[in-house]
Each structure stands twice: as C-alpha cells, then as structure tokens.
Amino acid sequence: MKYLATFISVLFMLLLAFKPMTANAEPQSYRLGAGDTIVIKVYGEDALTLETQVTNSGTINYPFLGSLTLIGLTIKQVEQIVYKGLKGDYFVEPNVYVGMVEYRPFYIHGEVKLPGGYPYQPGMTVNQAIALAGGLTERASQEKISISREGSKVESERGTINSAIQAGDTISIEQRFF
C-alpha cells in the first residue's frame, strides 16, 4: 500500500511536469482578465479544488485565502500566490496546480456574416476570427480592419488579415467602397 501511494504521488508530479500542450494550453506570458475561467488544485486535497471565473473586478474567492486579485497575473504567478498562502499555516509543502479552463472571448463585428463574441484560443489571427464569424460579407474590406485591445488607452490599431489577436479584443471589419 505504501508503494502504491508513492507511485501515485510520483505519477501526479510527472503529469504536472510534462503536461502536453493542447489547444487550451496557455502561453507563459498570458495575463488573466475578467471572464477567464481557471482551475486550482492542491494535490491530495480535493476540498481545495476550485474551478472559477475571474470576476469583473479581477478577483476570485479561494478557501482559506479569501479574495485574491488575479487580473494581470500569469498562471505561474497565481500558483505562487496560492502556494505561499497555503504554506505554513495550512500545509507544510502544498503541491499547487493552476490551469486555464476557458479564455475570455474576443468580439468581432462589422462586415462579417455572424458578428458576436467567440471563444479565444492562443495564437489566433484575424483570419481565423473571421472564419469563426462565418466569413466576410460581400461588402467587406480586407484592408480596413481595426483591433481594439482590451484595457488599451489607444482607441484602436490598424490590423491585417494576419494580425494576431488576444483574448478580450474587439475586431471591426469595415465596408469597402467599390
């Protein structure tokens, strides 16, 4: 029985260390924002598993630690906050995992067939966003694309079909003039 517990512990650590990059794998530099859904797990403590969405104020409520402000932090930074909060008072050496469940959406409007909000995936381009929105209308301009970045003080920036987008962005496709 002792060996089984050790085996399971080692297997769990290996899974965390070598987790495969999937479609939902987050880049190391991705910053959390309102609307992102994350999962927090502490090995061996099922009561501390929490899947939650970051609120509009950028916070979540976590057992023992209360309200945590996560907006603008990376997944690794959140792991460290939870680890430091639980270590000492509650656990000797907590094994904390934080992962992305769902990114906040991006929005596309203007000359696309199905304007609206769509689920973001890392590495998306304007072209992929247009595909999700059903394609361009007959009157769409491929040169008049603007991207408004979430939280940016600049109104919008000019984009191209190949421009990278981020979670929370708003893409506007304008009409062309014949």
Side-chain angles (χ1 to χ4, degrees):
M1 194 63 157
K2 176 181 161 189
Y3 295 111
L4 180 61
T6 304
F7 174 76
I8 291 172
S9 177
V10 169
L11 182 61
F12 183 79
M13 291 226 195
L14 286 173
L15 287 174
L16 289 179
F18 298 107
K19 62 185 178 200
M21 294 297 280
T22 64
N24 286 339
E26 69 281 349
Q28 294 299 320
S29 62
Y30 181 79
R31 303 281 176 181
L32 293 172
D36 285 329
T37 302
I38 62 170
V39 63
I40 302 173
K41 295 181 179 188
V42 178
Y43 176 70
E45 298 295 329
D46 291 340
L48 294 180
T49 295
L50 177 68
E51 184 174 312
T52 186
Q53 188 175 61
V54 179
T55 66
N56 285 341
S57 62
T59 62
I60 65 163
N61 250 338
Y62 192 72
F64 297 121
L65 305 181
S67 181
L68 301 175
T69 301
L70 305 184
I71 200 162
L73 300 179
T74 65
I75 292 295
K76 291 294 178 197
Q77 289 172 324
V78 175
E79 279 182 358
Q80 286 301 308
I81 288 170
V82 174
Y83 171 81
K84 288 176 183 175
L86 294 176
K87 186 177 178 171
D89 290 342
Y90 303 106
F91 299 96
V92 175
E93 194 65 35
N95 189 347
V96 177
Y97 166 78
V98 178
M100 286 299 298
V101 174
E102 187 176 304
Y103 294 90
R104 61 192 180 276
F106 69 90
Y107 302 91
I108 186 166
H109 64 88
E111 294 300 315
V112 291
K113 293 180 182 173
L114 301 168
Y118 292 91
Y120 171 77
Q121 290 296 315
M124 285 189 80
T125 63
V126 169
N127 196 33
Q128 293 165 327
I130 290 170
L132 285 175
L136 296 172
T137 65
E138 293 175 6
R139 300 186 68 180
S141 170
Q142 291 190 21
E143 289 79 38
K144 294 181 180 178
I145 298 170
S146 61
I147 303 170
S148 298
R149 304 284 183 198
E150 182 181 60
S152 173
K153 298 200 188 301
V154 178
E155 257 185 62
S156 64
E157 59 186 59
R158 278 290 183 213
T160 67
I161 262 323
N162 296 317
S163 293
I165 63 168
Q166 301 167 6
D169 283 357
T170 300
I171 304 163
S172 181
I173 311 292
E174 297 179 32
Q175 288 183 1
R176 66 181 166 163
F177 293 102
F178 299 93

